[in-house]
Structure formats: C-alpha cells, structure tokens
Amino acid sequence: MNELFLILAALGPVFALVALGAGFRVINFPAAEFWPLAERFTYYLLFPVLLVLKISTAELPQQGVGSVVMALLALLLLTSVASLLLSRLLDLKPPQQSSLFQGGVRFNTYVGLAAAVELFGEPGLLWGALFLGLMIPLVNVVCVAVFIVSGSSNQGWRGLGLSLLKNPLILACLLGGGLNLSGIGMPSPLIPVLGLLGQMALPLGLLAVGVGLDLKVLRGGGSTLWGACGLKLLLSPLLFLLLAHLLSLPVEATSVLLIFAALPTASSAYILARQMGGDAPLMAGIITVQTLLAMVTIPLLLSAVGWAGLVSLP
C-alpha cells in the first residue's frame, strides 16, 4: 500500500496537469482558439526539440539494449495481431477497424515521458528516449499501413511515405539518433537553448491532452471502445512483462518501459482517423476513456508488479 501512495505522489502532478487542461476546456480558458495553436506549437517544435536533445545525448547502458529492442518489436507485433483479431471477431467495418487498431497500439508520448521522468528521473528519460526513438516511426508506419490495407484511406503507399517524411516526431527521432550514433552529438552551445525549449513541451502537452478530452463522446462506444481499452491498458503491459521475463530484460529497463506499455493511446490518433477515413467519433471516445482509465490503471499496475518484485520502483 505504501508503494501505491509513493507512485500516486510521483504521478499526481502528471495527471493533475491533464485534469487542469480538462478544466480549462470547461471554462473555455484562455480561449478555444488558443489550444489548437498550442498543440501545433508543441507537436511541431517543442516536443521534436526535446526528442532531438534527449536522443542525441542519451548514454544507454551497454548491456540489455539489444534485448529491449527485441522486446519492444515483439510487443508491437503481438498487440497489432491482437487488435486485428479483435476487429475480425467484432466484425468491424474498415473505419472502425482502423480506429480500434490505433487504440490498441499507439501511445501518448507526453504522458509516458512525463511519468517516467517523475518516477525514475534520468534513467526514465534515457529508456524513454530509446522507446520513443524506436517506436514512434514503427507505430506510425503500421497505423497508416492499416488504413491503406483496410481500404479506409485511398492515399496509397506513396501517401504513407509522404506522411512519414513530414512527421516531425519521426524526423526528430532520426536526427537525434543520427547525431548520437555518428558520435557528432549535440553542439554544446545549443544544449541550454534546446533544454529551455524542451522544458515547455511536457507541461503544455499534458494540458493539451486534458483539453482534448470530451466526455460527450462516451455514449455509445460499445464493445469496440471497451475492447480497445482492454487491449491497450491491460493486454499490452501484461504482454510486455511476459516478454521482459522471457528475454531477461534489465530490471531498470523493465520498470521504466512498463509505463510506456501501459499508456493510453495518442491524442494525435484522432487527427489521423479524421484525415485518413477512420471513425473519428469512435477514436475520440477511445482516447478519452483510455486517458481517464489510465489515471487509475497505471498506478495500480505499477504498485502490483512492484509488490510482486517484478520491477524496481523508487
């Protein structure tokens, strides 16, 4: 029980900012026009700056990185298959199928990185940077591919390539990884400037997550909505724990990355659903319900596995 209180104390500020954002939506502060611009500013500048800085300067342990990469790739494969099987079981049409798929495999980067840093400090930042650098490009590829293969989108594979080339988070991961692996690193005069910009990304991003929650979309989600919640908030972290055990992942990496495996889906999934022919109202409902439930499921999950000795908590 003491572990649960410690986790809640650490994650409290993260979810408090999400709740504050939801409150701003209710009272329309500072204005409805402000938040789309703030989200765009965060998505295209602040968060890419944070990713480039952290990935380019990350110094991961020499041991266990290969096994972690294998576990994350296997997790994406398994959750993708599970999402497609559930879509087939529910006999969903292509728009609903693509929205359920996004709800099963995408993750909220703002919540994940903020939670990892609050709980684990620098190790949370380093393992989180590895997760984001690997998974952001891959998840975007598989999600857009599902739109194309299912027939929800008529953009074709050329459209997939163009959308990936224009994605600021993918470009940031590639740039940061290139600077890191090449040995060039981030020029030291830029580090404090980028650091100040990056510090704004998570608070503003979390507020925007809260503003994006719409309780009106909770009606009529049905089995598809709750199936997506089960996939993302329960099955995904359990599969990751199994993979971590089978591949003997470092305890520190398992502890941090479990947070990312248990994250709610990304707010940007709604934009992709709207642009590529998915079921946007269903996607909005999945985002809202998963985000609200994650405020409960993530602390309970971390507390349970910490009590069982499966992860190391601060």
Side-chain angles (χ1 to χ4, degrees), residues 216-228:
K216 296 177 183 176
V217 301
L218 300 185
R219 308 171 194 152
S223 57
T224 305
L225 186 152
W226 295 108

Side-chain angles (χ1 to χ4, degrees), residues 165-177:
L165 289 174
K166 294 187 295 184
N167 188 301
L169 302 186
I170 292 178
L171 295 176
C173 291
L174 293 175
L175 177 58

Side-chain angles (χ1 to χ4, degrees), residues 62-74 127 130 134 240 243-244 246-250 253 257:
Q62 296 299 314
Q63 300 294 325
V65 174
S67 297
V68 167
V69 170
M70 289 178 58
L72 294 178
L73 293 176
W127 287 111
L130 173 66
L134 176 68
F240 176 75
L243 291 167
L246 293 176
L247 296 172
S248 301
L249 300 191
L257 296 176

